[in-house]
Amino acid sequence: MDFHLPEESPGIPVYRVMDGEGRVLDPSQDPQLSKDTVLEMYRKMVMLSTMDGILYNAQRQGRISFYMTNYGEEGTHIGSAAALDPRDMAFGQYREAGVFLWRGFTLDDFMNQCFSNDLDYNKGRAFPVNFGSKDHNFATYSSPLATQMPHASGAAYALKRAGTGLCVVCYFGDGAASEGDAHAAFNFAATLDCPVIFFCRNNGYAISTPTSEQYRGDGIASRGSGYGMATIRVDGNDTFAVYNVTKAAREMCVTENRPVLIEAMTYRIGDHSTSDDSSAYRTRDEVDHYRGNSPITRLQHYLINQGWWDMEQEANYRDKAKQQVMEAFRAGEERKKPPLSDLMTDVYNTMEPHLAKQTDHMLNHIQRHKEQYTTTDIFKKEK
């Protein structure tokens, strides 16, 4: 009689390509990306960080209602996105803006959504950071944790039946892995051999709950074998390592029709959101420790070591990035809000009686309070 005791089992190792100083540890694991590609990856990460700073401050000024930064997790976004086919369907949780950025979602697109203006993909129906774009093959975020995970498994099953040769990537956090939807998604994908990459961003905290209090066992990766999934753990602050494992996972998905679980070990440097104050549950020293080992810093070291970047270029690009973000910010803020008709459309092919009744009620309300509204025609598209 021999009980399996998890505390006596060896931990799953962390795959790494670069050390903290941007040096490749094993030349055989160097992805051999071109100079232009690595520079583009770095610039996207810096642009994302710049946008985060401006939109975070905008929320503090009352100019947008909510925001979530991506500080410290940029490597998981860009490293994985660069390894995928842009036609692969992506499902996210709410902290994957870098994937959108890599796929061509513009600064204007981000601003239009955060300001909920008339060019917002969501037509003003979602609060800021609930990005989504059919053109970029990324399903719109749904704020409740893990709801995207069963959807991802189902989408992967559909791709498999259609014989597209594509896969699905599903991003989620360590906290979402505690939801029942995670179990359903893992089991569905494994038993039906769905080509889906489950990409866990283990950033150390589920809002204010540290991983030490959130689960037992060896992280999220240890659950993979229990569901019959290929699994790997990677240094999420190592952009090259994330690229390599995502590329290999995708190949496994599309050639073998099987799900893969990736656990990327990273750290959420910023607050959970603008509704959070992380100083209440962690120390400044802890945050500063990880700030010095951020994915941006590590990739910057690599570029400098290669002779592809210097601090003058760094300063110039950061100034340029700030200028570009501010231009998009001002344009998004100045645009009008969506027409009120968008509240009543897109659900039914023709307006149902209950919606027509609500519309009449709204028109009467607007007529009584004309001074509060810029239009009395809720069906007029004022672009």
Side-chain angles (χ1 to χ4, degrees):
M1 183 181 296
D2 187 15
F3 285 91
H4 176 77
L5 299 176
E7 62 269 23
E8 295 180 359
S9 300
I12 297 174
V14 177
Y15 173 74
R16 182 177 290 117
V17 173
M18 290 188 291
D19 65 14
E21 299 300 318
R23 294 182 291 258
V24 174
L25 300 170
D26 180 351
S28 70
Q29 297 303 302
D30 189 331
Q32 299 296 326
L33 297 172
S34 70
K35 174 183 176 180
D36 288 345
T37 298
V38 180
L39 284 171
E40 182 65 10
M41 295 169 83
Y42 182 71
R43 291 188 182 112
K44 294 292 189 188
M45 292 162 70
V46 171
M47 183 66 76
L48 176 59
S49 180
T50 303
M51 182 179 75
D52 277 349
I54 289 171
L55 288 176
Y56 181 90
N57 289 331
Q59 192 281 333
R60 290 296 187 247
Q61 296 166 4
R63 298 164 82 173
I64 59 175
S65 60
F66 180 83
Y67 194 68
M68 304 182 84
T69 64
N70 305 273
Y71 298 135
E73 301 184 47
E74 299 91 349
T76 63
H77 302 185
I78 301 302
S80 62
L84 295 167
D85 188 312
R87 298 172 298 167
D88 291 334
M89 190 66 195
F91 291 80
Q93 186 166 300
Y94 44 55
R95 206 186 305 276
E96 293 87 19
V99 180
F100 279 96
L101 197 60
W102 183 263
R103 288 192 168 193
F105 205 69
T106 67
L107 293 174
D108 287 330
D109 292 333
F110 284 113
M111 298 304 167
N112 292 336
Q113 199 283 322
C114 287
F115 282 108
S116 297
N117 64 32
D118 63 341
L119 295 182
D120 172 18
Y121 276 81
N122 295 334
K123 300 185 178 182
R125 296 167 178 161
F127 64 72
V129 309
N130 271 18
F131 306 120
S133 172
K134 183 177 180 180
D135 292 341
H136 301 92
N137 299 306
F138 205 125
T140 302
Y141 292 157
S142 179
S143 297
L145 289 186
T147 54
Q148 79 279 13
M149 297 180 72
H151 299 164
S153 295
Y157 185 58
L159 290 179
K160 171 188 171 183
R161 288 176 59 86
T164 61
L166 300 174
C167 74
V168 169
V169 61
C170 178
Y171 296 93
F172 62 101
D174 48 280
S178 296
E179 295 285 338
D181 278 345
H183 161 77
F186 291 158
N187 204 47
F188 188 106
T191 55
L192 294 177
D193 299 316
C194 302
V196 54
I197 301 171
F198 290 109
F199 193 102
C200 177
R201 298 176 292 94
N202 191 334
N203 63 19
Y205 289 90
I207 306 183
S208 60
T209 305
T211 54
S212 60
E213 299 176 11
Q214 186 188 151
Y215 53 71
R216 291 293 180 265
D218 184 22
I220 308 304
S222 63
R223 304 177 194 183
S225 59
Y227 288 98
M229 292 191 292
T231 304
I232 191 168
R233 176 175 286 154
V234 62
D235 182 346
N237 289 2
D238 181 343
T239 308
F240 288 172
V242 173
Y243 174 88
N244 283 352
V245 299
T246 306
K247 182 179 179 181
R250 186 186 186 280
E251 180 68 15
M252 193 178 298
C253 280
V254 300
T255 59
E256 302 178 30
N257 276 324
R258 61 182 299 178
V260 180
L261 173 61
I262 297 172
E263 182 180 22
M265 310 305 292
T266 182
Y267 187 81
R268 194 197 78 215
I269 292 175
D271 296 332
H272 172 73
S273 71
T274 50
S275 301
D276 175 46
D277 177 8
S278 63
S279 66
Y281 53 84
R282 60 183 184 177
T283 66
R284 175 183 284 275
D285 287 344
E286 177 183 318
V287 176
D288 288 344
H289 169 75
Y290 285 99
R291 194 188 305 277
N293 189 36
S294 75
I296 291 178
T297 300
R298 194 181 302 192
L299 194 57
Q300 181 196 76
H301 286 325
Y302 174 85
L303 288 169
I304 292 173
N305 294 341
Q306 294 292 110
W308 296 348
W309 197 250
D310 58 41
M311 298 316 294
E312 182 179 355
Q313 290 172 293
E314 178 78 13
N316 289 339
Y317 182 72
R318 286 186 179 272
D319 286 343
K320 178 181 178 181
K322 184 176 181 179
Q323 180 181 353
Q324 291 178 343
V325 173
M326 285 306 303
E327 287 176 358
F329 179 91
R330 285 189 287 267
E333 187 176 34
E334 291 170 0
R335 291 202 64 85
K336 293 182 179 181
K337 296 301 181 184
L340 293 176
S341 58
D342 283 352
L343 292 172
M344 305 296 182
T345 56
D346 289 349
V347 177
Y348 302 99
N349 185 42
T350 58
M351 186 173 288
E352 293 292 299
H354 70 284
L355 284 178
K357 183 178 179 180
Q358 292 175 30
T359 300
D360 289 340
H361 179 80
M362 184 191 301
L363 282 170
N364 290 332
H365 173 80
I366 291 173
Q367 287 292 336
R368 291 197 305 270
H369 305 282
K370 289 182 179 180
E371 70 281 0
Q372 302 294 325
Y373 297 92
T374 58
T375 179
T376 56
D377 183 358
I378 69 168
F379 294 102
K380 184 179 180 181
K381 296 277 188 181
E382 296 188 352
K383 298 277 183 166

